[in-house]
Amino acid sequence: PPSQYLQSVIEYAMQSLADSYRSHPRTKQAYVQAQKDCFAIHRQTFGRKGDAFLFKLAQAHGHLGGLCQIARDHEQYGDPRTFSLKPLLQNMDLEDVGTGMRIDVYVLKWHTERNLLGHVVKYGKVCPGTFGVMVHAEPSLKRLRWMHYVKQGDYNAAAANLFEIAVESTITE
């Protein structure tokens, strides 16, 4: 069937570009762009039916944006377990080719950038060390710092953070 041919072409293209990138790092941008293009073409052609193939391909090629998008989409479709990021967060060796970020940092940042703070908290439970760093490094996560303080047992800092949030909310209203 034609669908198998397209998947084969995409797999071949991704592997060829990955091999090229490994031997010639200056081809990184072409590899990253090809990841995005192949991902988009496949999703336009197959929709959700092809996401299992894409999820595996994105893992194999360090296209973490693709992993995050598929996981998010399937949560919205009511199928969060099939494409869960939680098991992948255990593998700290997985990095995004485009940014060089480890998966834990990338996943939290991706969800932060989309203001999906509930997801940041959810995934932060799987990688609490990274969550702790991120709530201090990202200004948009300031409102979540108290959670980290509570987990650390620093209730004074948690109370101070909550007080600061309340004051800021009062001033802006």
Side-chain angles (χ1 to χ4, degrees), residues 21 28-29 31-33 35-36 61-66 68 93-110 113-114 134:
Y21 167 62
K28 175 181 175 178
Q29 193 57 38
Y31 179 40
V32 170
Q33 188 59 50
Q35 287 179 337
K36 293 174 184 174
H61 291 279
H63 180 41
L64 302 187
C68 290
D93 294 334
L94 190 55
E95 288 185 358
D96 183 70
V97 171
T99 64
M101 287 184 205
R102 283 188 339 250
I103 188 168
D104 55 336
V105 175
Y106 191 96
V107 167
L108 294 180
K109 190 160 186 64
W110 191 91
E113 289 171 352
R114 286 153 184 82
M134 293 281 295

Side-chain angles (χ1 to χ4, degrees), residues 32 38 42 76 81 102 119 124 144 158 165:
V32 170
C38 288
H42 196 279
Q76 292 177 319
R81 290 194 178 123
R102 283 188 339 250
H119 287 74
L144 302 180
I165 293 167

Side-chain angles (χ1 to χ4, degrees), residues 67-107:
L67 291 175
C68 290
Q69 189 62 59
I70 290 172
R72 175 75 176 130
D73 290 348
H74 281 270
E75 283 179 3
Q76 292 177 319
Y77 303 141
D79 179 25
R81 290 194 178 123
T82 305
F83 299 100
S84 175
L85 295 174
K86 284 183 178 182
L88 299 178
L89 289 170
Q90 307 299 323
N91 179 5
M92 294 300 175
D93 294 334
L94 190 55
E95 288 185 358
D96 183 70
V97 171
T99 64
M101 287 184 205
R102 283 188 339 250
I103 188 168
D104 55 336
V105 175
Y106 191 96
V107 167

